[in-house]
Amino acid sequence: MNDSVHDLVGRSNRLGSDPRVTNYAGGNTSAKGTATDPVTGEPVELLWVKGSGGDLGTLTPAGLAVLRLDRMRALVDVYPGVEREDEMVAAFDYCLHGKGGAAPSIDTAMHGLVDAAHVDHLHPDAGIAIATATDGEALTREIFGDEVVWVPWRRPGFQLGLDIAAIKAANPQAVGCILGGHGITAWGDTSAEAEVRSLGIIRRAEEFIEARTAARDSHPFGAVRPGHEPLPDAERRARAAALAPVIRGLASTDAPQVGHFTDSAPVLDLLSRERLVPLAELGTSCPDHFLRTKVKPLVVDVPASATVEETVTALRAAHEAYRADYAAYYERGAAAARARGEEPPAMRGADPAIVLVPGVGMFSFGRTKQTARVAGEFYVNAINVMRGAEAISTYRPIAEDEKFRIEYWALEEAKLRRMPAAKPLATRVALVTGAASGIGRAIATRLAAEGACVVVADLDRDKAAEVAAELGSPDVAVGVAMDVSSEAAVRAGVQEAVLAFGGVDLVVNNAGLSLSRSLFETTEADWDLQHDVMAKGSFLVSREAGRVLVDQGMGGDIVYISSKNSVFAGPNNIAYSATKADQAHQVRLLAAELGQYGIRVNGVNPDGVVRGSGIFASGWGANRAAVYGVPEEQLGEFYAQRTLLKREVLPENVAAAVYALCTADFSHTTGLHVPVDAGVAAAFLR
C-alpha cells in the first residue's frame, strides 16, 4: 500500500470514529502523493480523497477516489463559472487514475485545489456552532486569531474549493478555516500535522463554548417549562411505545418508513425548554444534517402530562400542518429554481423525518433502520450545534433558499438514483416467535435476507440474541425474550419491538412444542401447556401486535405456523393436534375481523420437518418414530416417502411459504392455509 494512502486511511478512521469530530458518513479527507504510472513507468502525482457517500470511521483504500493531480488542477482553466459549477463533478471522471476507485464527491475540488499535501474537511458540533453563530466571523478571530480564517457560506462545489485555495494562499500562517453554516477545513504538510491541526481547531472551539456556557446565568435553551420535564424512565418508554405506531404511520404517509427512538439527555433537555419551538422552527444548518433530518422537525407541543389520546390528537393536527408547510417550502424553492432557469426534481415527500414529543423523546425515520438511526444521531448533532451557538451568540442557520438548493440539488438527486434497488421486504418490520431455532430461525433468516428488520422473539433471550447477531447488526435484527403464554411478557416483547424499529408490519406465530402421547397418557398439564403456548400464545401475540398494526394504519400480515395435524387425524397426538386446529381457525376468524384494516391473516401447514427442528429434537421425534416403527434417524426419510412428491420438508421450505405470503404477489389473499408437506392427500383442504 502506498505510504500516503496508508497514512490517510489511518487518519480518517481515527477522526471518523470520534463523534466529537464528525458524524456518520460526514466530512472527507485527502492526501496527495506520488505513485508509478503503470503505463509509462514514470512517477505521477495523485490525489486520494474519500469517495462520495463513504464513512471516515470505516474507510478503506477501496473507498478512495484516485485522481491525477495535474488534470484535476487543469480544470481551473475550463471552469465555466459558479452558475455552471455542477458540471465540474462530471469533469472529475476525466481526471481519474486507472480505474479511479470510488466515485468522487462534490468536495473533491476543495481537496485538489488547496495547496497542501493533506486536507481534512469535518463537521464537528463545536465547529458548526461557530459557523452558525450570527457573529461567527468575529468569533473566529476572537478564538483563533489569524490561525483560522472565516469563509462565508457557499454551497459545496468547485467554487468553494477555489475560495479556500485562495484563502490559504493569502494567509500562509493559517492552519485551517471555519466554513460559514457548514463546518471546518484544516490542512498540513504531513498526515500527522493535518490531524493535529483538525483536532486543535475542534478542541479550542469546544473550550471556548464551554467557558462561555459556564459564564452564563441562564441556559441557552431557556428555562424548563413546567409540565414538560422528562417522564420517569419506565413511564417514558411505555408512552413512547404507545405513540410510536401512530407516529410511524403518519411519517409513512408518502412512503413506508422504519423508525428509531432516542431519549438521550440532550434530546430530553431540549424538549423540556422554553425555546424548543422557536429553535426547532429555525431548522438545521449543516448540509449533512438537513439532508437526513429534513429542514426542520415536527414538534408535538403538548406537556408530558398529556394523555396518549390528547397527544395523538395534537400529533395528527401537527402532522397535517407540517405537510402543508413543507409543500409551501417546496413550492417557494421550486419557483425560485425555475426563475433561475432550472427545473427542480419532484417533491420527494412532505412527511417529517424527525418528530419531537416533550417528556418522551425523539422519533426519527428513514427507508432503513440505519438511515432512521443516523437521522436521529444527526439531529442530536444539530441540538449540540444550537446549544453551542446560543451559548456564545445567536443561532442562525443558512437561508431557506440555500437549504432548498441543496436538498433538491441535481447532484443529490443523481446520488439517490445511484442507490441500489430496495429488497422486497425493505421498510417492513417482522416479529417472529419461537425464532431461536428450527422453523422460526429459518423464517427469521429468510425475512432478513429479503430486507425486513427482524425481531427474534424466543423464550430464551440469550439464544434469541445469538440468532439476531447472526442475522446482522441491531439495524437488521434484535433479540427479545417472550413467553408467549404470558400476557405481560407478550406485551413487553411487542413494546421492545416497537421501540427497536418504530412498529411492526409482519407477525409470525411460530412458537410451539409437542408431546406425543395417547389420550390416556395425556395429562391435564400436558393439555394446558400445549394450548397455553400455541392457542393462547398465538391469540396474545396477534392481539398485542394487531393493535400496533391498526394504530399504524399501514395494513400488515399475520402468519400462523399451524400444521398438517390441524386437519389430519393421527394417533397419540390429541393435545398437539387440537391446539393446531385452534390456531387454524384463528386464521379464519382474524382474517374476517382484521380485513377492514388492510391486515391479511394466513397460515402455513407444515409436516414432517425433522431436520433442525427444536420440537423433534426435544423427544417428539423419538416418540413419532416409535409410533411409526422406524429408527429415529430415518424419520425424515420416512415422512418423505409417504408424501406424494417423495421429498423431505425442511425449515427453509416453510420460510419460503411465509415469505411468499407476505409479498405483493399475495396482496389479495387472506384466510388461506398453505400446505408445506410435500403432498399429504389426507391433509388436503376441502
Side-chain angles (χ1 to χ4, degrees), residues 610 618 624:
V610 177
S618 65
R624 300 319 289 169

Side-chain angles (χ1 to χ4, degrees), residues 27 31 61 74 79 120 143 245 262 296 301 360 370 378 411 427 437 472 489 492 506 539 564 578 624 629 669:
Y79 176 49
D120 297 334
I143 300 167
T262 306
K296 62 183 178 183
D301 193 21
V360 180
Q370 183 194 52
F378 271 85
L411 295 175
T427 75
S437 63
L506 198 168
F539 153 70
K564 172 213 72 176
R624 300 319 289 169
T669 299

Side-chain angles (χ1 to χ4, degrees), residues 435-436 441 445 448 456 462-474 476-478:
R441 182 175 187 154
T445 301
V456 178
D462 291 341
K463 289 183 178 178
E466 287 177 13
V467 172
E470 290 174 7
L471 297 182
S473 74
V476 175
V478 297

Side-chain angles (χ1 to χ4, degrees), residues 364-381:
S364 54
F365 298 93
R367 65 183 186 87
T368 66
K369 168 65 176 185
Q370 183 194 52
T371 55
R373 173 179 55 77
V374 169
E377 291 172 358
F378 271 85
Y379 199 76
V380 172
N381 291 130

Side-chain angles (χ1 to χ4, degrees), residues 367-441:
R367 65 183 186 87
T368 66
K369 168 65 176 185
Q370 183 194 52
T371 55
R373 173 179 55 77
V374 169
E377 291 172 358
F378 271 85
Y379 199 76
V380 172
N381 291 130
I383 291 172
N384 295 335
V385 167
M386 289 188 286
R387 186 175 57 248
E390 287 289 321
I392 60 177
S393 178
T394 302
Y395 174 65
R396 185 178 66 185
I398 63 174
E400 177 186 280
D401 61 332
E402 288 295 314
K403 291 182 181 181
F404 180 88
R405 291 188 70 182
I406 289 176
E407 185 177 2
Y408 286 93
W409 203 352
L411 295 175
E412 186 64 28
E413 187 73 9
K415 184 190 295 185
L416 293 174
R417 286 197 297 267
R418 289 197 301 268
M419 298 180 73
K423 292 184 177 181
L425 297 184
T427 75
R428 304 201 73 191
V429 180
L431 169 65
V432 185
T433 66
S437 63
I439 291 173
R441 182 175 187 154

Side-chain angles (χ1 to χ4, degrees), residues 284-296:
T284 52
S285 183
C286 176
D288 259 24
H289 291 184
F290 63 75
L291 283 173
R292 291 166 173 83
T293 67
K294 283 202 163 174
V295 289
K296 62 183 178 183

